[in-house]
Every structure is written in C-alpha cells, then in structure tokens.
Amino acid sequence: QSVLTQPPSVSGAPGQRVTISCTGSSSNIGSRYDVHWYQQLPGTAPKLLIYGNSNRPSGVPDRFSGSKSGTSASLAITGLQAEDEADYYCQSYDSSLTGSVFGGGTKLTVL
Amino acid sequence: QVQLQESGPGLVKPSGTLSLTCTISGGSISSSNWWSWVRQPPGKGLEWIGEIYHRGSTNYNPSLKSRATISVDKSQNQFSLKLSSVTAADTAVYYCARYYSTAWFDPWGQGTLVTVSS
C-alpha cells in the first residue's frame, strides 16, 4: 500500500490527452511539499519528467505537464505517442515518515 | 554531467548482508546534495531506502531503518548501502540517485538486480 495513490493503469489513442492522478494527504502533498513525476520505460531506470509540481527538465517535451491542488497532483500528457508507453510514478516528501514517498505507479498504454 | 553507477553482488543468501556501491562520475560527492538509494521489487513500484549527505548525516525509511546502513567514501567519490538480515522480500533492482535540492531524484543509476536466494 503506497502512501501516494495512483491509478494502476490508463490508456489512450495516439494524439489523445490522458491524465494521471496522484492523491496524498495532509502530511505530504497537502502540506508544503512539492510533487515530482518520473517516467520509467520498460527495462530502464526511472527518469525525472516533472519537478516542483509543474517544471520540466531540459529535453522533456512540452506535451508533458504537471499540476498540484490540495492533497492531489496530476500529470497530463497531450498528443500521445507510442513512445510514451511506460510506467509513471509520482513522488513527494512525507513529514510523518520523514522521508520520500512514491505512488504505486501507473502503466500508460497507447492503444 | 553527473552519472551514477551501481555495483555489487547480484546474489545474496538469506539472512546475509546485501552490499552495494554507487560510483559518481562527472561531479563530486561533496557537492551540496544528498545521495540516495531506491529499490524496485520485480514487477512492483519504487521504494525509498534512505539517503546520506557527504558529511555523514543520514535518513532512512522507517520500515528499513534497523537493517539499512548508508555510508560515504569521499576518496573514491562513492557511497554505499548495506542491508542486513535479508530475505526473499529484499529481492529487487536497487538504484542509486542524487536527491537534488532535497526534493527530487535526478539523475539515477542504471540499477542493479539483487536476488536473495540460497
């Protein structure tokens, strides 16, 4: 049972828009702690996709965007491409656990 | 550009101690960053293990705190993980990562699979 809750899977057709939610609590997302997102392609290490709720590292397409509101955060992917098929994880800090916490991960399938 | 590489035995016997090292290249372990270990059991999600600052301060996941030890070797630009009393539940891909700005993990090492089996 992960501290941050994500849907196990989402899917969309090429060109469509999908969103992945990440729900936490008052001790993590609902507090002052930022949310970060990672993309994990099959057989590879996670890669930072969004940091500080909505910032993209250099090289990440602007098709990827993030937002945070209350105790939840969301990752949106527009103009879906086959290469976006991967697992996506959210991450934040939890003051009760005094450490980093991850969501359980969401598998994105491009139909 | 900072790069990380994990190394260590891929097979550990039950009740033994898992030992891994992360070598940093393209940057110094003594920079103003924390350095972390994260693991991923086969087919499952990511779990933060703990982190260390180059001066030796550490933080651990409470669920692993009694078994995990993270240390730094500045002369080798490395940091290490030891996990004692391992069981099959500790079988996972272990990643090292820089805990940037004490907020997010970037970059990550490629990961190394450690299997606990007799």
Side-chain angles (χ1 to χ4, degrees):
Chain A
Q1 189 82 357
S2 301
V3 173
L4 304 180
T5 301
Q6 298 180 235
S9 63
V10 297
S11 63
Q16 285 190 332
R17 177 182 187 269
V18 296
T19 61
I20 298 172
S21 61
C22 176
T23 303
S25 67
S26 59
S27 61
N28 42 68
I29 297 176
S31 187
R32 58 185 174 91
Y33 304 111
D34 290 338
V35 178
H36 321 289
W37 292 90
Y38 303 87
Q39 178 191 59
Q40 187 175 33
L41 297 170
T44 69
K47 167 194 161 188
L48 181 66
L49 194 64
I50 296 287
Y51 66 93
N53 303 318
S54 59
N55 301 290
R56 286 187 309 277
S58 173
V60 173
D62 60 6
R63 301 187 295 104
F64 295 89
S65 63
S67 63
K68 171 187 164 181
S69 178
T71 58
S72 295
S74 289
L75 172 71
I77 310 172
T78 59
L80 264 183
Q81 300 181 3
E83 66 207 50
D84 299 333
E85 195 159 279
D87 293 324
Y88 293 83
Y89 293 89
C90 60
Q91 174 248 322
S92 185
Y93 180 88
D94 190 283
S95 57
S96 296
L97 299 176
T98 60
S100 294
V101 289
F102 288 94
T106 298
K107 181 175 182 59
L108 169 63
T109 300
V110 181
L111 302 172
Chain B
Q1 179 178 348
V2 173
Q3 293 185 309
L4 307 175
Q5 177 69 58
E6 305 88 351
S7 59
L11 182 64
V12 181
K13 294 188 185 317
S15 78
T17 297
L18 177 159
S19 295
L20 296 174
T21 295
C22 181
T23 301
I24 302 165
S25 59
S28 172
I29 197 168
S30 297
S31 60
S32 299
N33 292 292
W34 289 72
W35 304 92
S36 299
W37 289 96
V38 177
R39 71 179 182 178
Q40 184 173 34
K44 296 188 178 181
L46 301 168
E47 179 181 34
W48 171 71
I49 298 172
E51 65 212 11
I52 189 165
Y53 193 62
H54 65 85
R55 293 178 180 170
S57 299
T58 54
N59 296 307
Y60 296 102
N61 186 322
S63 68
L64 297 169
K65 185 174 183 177
S66 61
R67 298 194 294 129
T69 302
I70 300 175
S71 58
V72 161
D73 184 341
K74 293 182 187 179
S75 67
Q76 298 295 318
N77 217 33
Q78 297 173 335
F79 63 105
S80 299
L81 169 70
K82 290 188 185 300
L83 188 65
S84 63
S85 304
V86 296
T87 69
D90 294 310
T91 293
V93 175
Y94 286 76
Y95 297 100
C96 59
R98 180 178 62 179
Y99 188 39
Y100 192 81
S101 197
T102 57
W104 61 85
F105 299 97
D106 181 63
W108 297 62
Q110 66 182 29
T112 187
L113 174 63
V114 179
T115 301
V116 178
S117 174
S118 55

